[in-house]
Amino acid sequence: MKLTDNVLRSFRVAKVFRENSDKINCFDFSPTGETVISSSDDDSIVLYDCQEGKPKRTLYSKKYGVDLIRYTHAANTVVYSSNKIDDTIRYLSLHDNKYIRYFPGHSKRVVALSMSPVDDAFISGSLDKTIRLWDLRSPNCQGLMHLQGKPVCSFDPEGLIFAAGVNSETVKLYDLRSFDKGPFATFKMNYDRTCEWTSLKFSNDGKLILLATNSGFLRLVDAFKGAVLHTFGGYNNSKGVTLEGSFTPDSQFIMIGSEDGKIHVWNGESGMKVAVLDGKHTGPITCLQFNPKFMTFASACSNMAFWLPTIDD
């Protein structure tokens, strides 16, 4: 089944889970698409089975809190940032609910965390105005960059380069093997003082970068030239919430949730809005991602919703 405008318009909520008492701040699909794991402001980590459509288990991180949860490449292990006590990143085995390693170094809250798609490297960005490069096998930071402002960062799909968005106005591309030499490309955007960037993501084909903001728009950028291809707007975000923008796995469509519980979908090539889907969410949709392998996506406020298409195009 191929994703088309009509298929996207046909998506409906198939299941809603009310496992959380507070906002779900992040979720991540496993690389196989068989499970999704969420972190919440209520300190819980919930693992869902995507094929059976049900919660599998719940773990807690009551002492440190939990945010920005990400699967690693090994089954049953995750890394996540803390939102209480300290700003250490933690590497957890879900199998026995034990920490494998800690990654201390950031002195303020971690606001970006990206796992390499190919190996054990990951990067983190913090309000302490640094980006750190790590390896799961060592607690020591493998590389450190000092920035002028709040960072957003992400690996490209091949894991060879990473992008850092700095001060909500510049995107810098670094080669992982020689990132201490500085960026090999720098793209300056028009600075908009009314908002700041909240996330940066590459499309699966590596050709596009999506910049989400805490305002009512997101930007689609050419990953090679740095040109802004489209600015997508027309969704509610009056309170400056961090909303997650995402690509569909085929890199063709861009989607974001909104403050009023609706999901907006655009065609990345034409820039046209193709769908507005009502998920009946009770609060802002802070998390939204497409399953990497199956024709389904998930959205979350304090509830988690699984969506399925209702037509075969």
Side-chain angles (χ1 to χ4, degrees):
M1 188 172 170
K2 196 166 170 291
L3 269 180
T4 63
D5 294 7
N6 280 340
V7 170
L8 274 163
R9 280 194 278 269
S10 84
F11 269 87
R12 299 289 180 269
V13 174
K15 275 202 168 157
V16 178
F17 304 99
R18 296 177 174 83
E19 307 298 302
N20 295 100
S21 60
D22 205 337
K23 171 184 98 169
I24 293 171
N25 52 42
C26 185
F27 65 70
D28 194 32
F29 282 101
S30 64
T32 61
E34 288 170 13
T35 60
V36 63
I37 193 158
S38 69
S39 55
S40 166
D41 287 355
D42 65 11
D43 306 334
S44 70
I45 296 168
V46 184
L47 182 66
Y48 297 87
D49 185 313
C50 295
Q51 286 163 307
E52 293 185 17
K54 63 182 190 191
K56 271 171 81 160
R57 58 188 295 220
T58 301
L59 308 170
Y60 291 94
S61 180
K62 286 204 179 297
K63 186 175 175 187
Y64 304 107
V66 55
D67 198 355
L68 299 178
I69 198 157
R70 303 278 186 257
Y71 273 107
T72 70
H73 297 285
N76 272 332
T77 61
V78 292
V79 289
Y80 65 81
S81 65
S82 317
N83 49 21
K84 290 180 179 179
I85 294 192
D86 63 15
D87 304 286
T88 298
I89 296 163
R90 292 177 164 76
Y91 179 21
L92 177 70
S93 163
L94 301 173
H95 166 66
D96 50 8
N97 196 17
K98 287 196 167 69
Y99 292 117
I100 302 168
R101 197 160 283 117
Y102 301 104
F103 304 95
H106 283 300
S107 59
K108 287 189 176 166
R109 184 167 176 164
V110 175
V111 290
L113 192 60
S114 176
M115 193 75 214
S116 161
V118 294
D119 60 22
D120 285 336
F122 68 96
I123 49 173
S124 58
S126 160
L127 294 177
D128 63 14
K129 299 181 184 173
T130 65
I131 287 177
R132 288 175 180 262
L133 180 66
W134 309 88
D135 187 300
L136 284 175
R137 294 161 296 193
S138 163
N140 303 318
C141 172
Q142 308 291 303
L144 174 64
M145 289 161 50
H146 290 277
L147 310 167
Q148 296 300 307
K150 176 185 170 178
V152 288
C153 54
S154 182
F155 279 99
D156 82 317
E158 291 173 347
L160 298 173
I161 65 169
F162 68 87
V166 188
N167 277 357
S168 303
E169 61 177 337
T170 311
V171 174
K172 300 182 178 200
L173 300 181
Y174 294 84
D175 186 310
L176 204 59
R177 293 153 300 197
S178 58
F179 90 97
D180 49 333
K181 296 188 173 73
F184 64 83
T186 300
F187 310 137
K188 202 148 170 54
M189 313 276 161
N190 285 335
Y191 179 59
D192 184 339
R193 66 168 59 86
T194 63
C195 69
E196 55 179 26
W197 297 349
T198 53
S199 75
L200 179 155
K201 284 186 184 180
F202 280 91
S203 57
N204 272 346
D205 62 10
K207 295 175 182 173
L208 303 166
I209 290 173
L210 186 63
L211 293 166
T213 72
N214 62 353
S215 186
F217 68 90
L218 21 75
R219 288 207 175 102
L220 188 65
V221 178
D222 182 306
F224 302 110
K225 302 189 185 113
V228 176
L229 302 173
H230 296 291
T231 299
F232 304 116
Y235 58 91
N236 289 353
N237 191 11
S238 61
K239 295 189 178 76
V241 181
T242 297
L243 304 169
E244 183 175 22
S246 286
F247 288 98
T248 51
D250 61 5
S251 308
Q252 303 299 313
F253 297 93
I254 287 92
M255 45 205 306
I256 194 165
S258 67
E259 203 173 59
D260 58 8
K262 292 187 172 66
I263 291 169
H264 297 251
V265 188
W266 295 267
N267 182 306
E269 200 168 349
S270 70
M272 302 296 289
K273 189 174 282 191
V274 296
V276 179
L277 306 169
D278 192 352
K280 304 280 192 288
H281 277 284
T282 51
I285 297 176
T286 42
C287 306
L288 176 68
Q289 282 177 42
F290 225 94
N291 187 305
K293 298 291 188 226
F294 301 106
M295 187 62 85
T296 171
F297 68 84
S299 59
C301 54
S302 57
N303 300 336
M304 171 81 91
F306 285 6
W307 297 69
L308 291 169
T310 52
I311 60 164
D312 297 319
D313 207 26

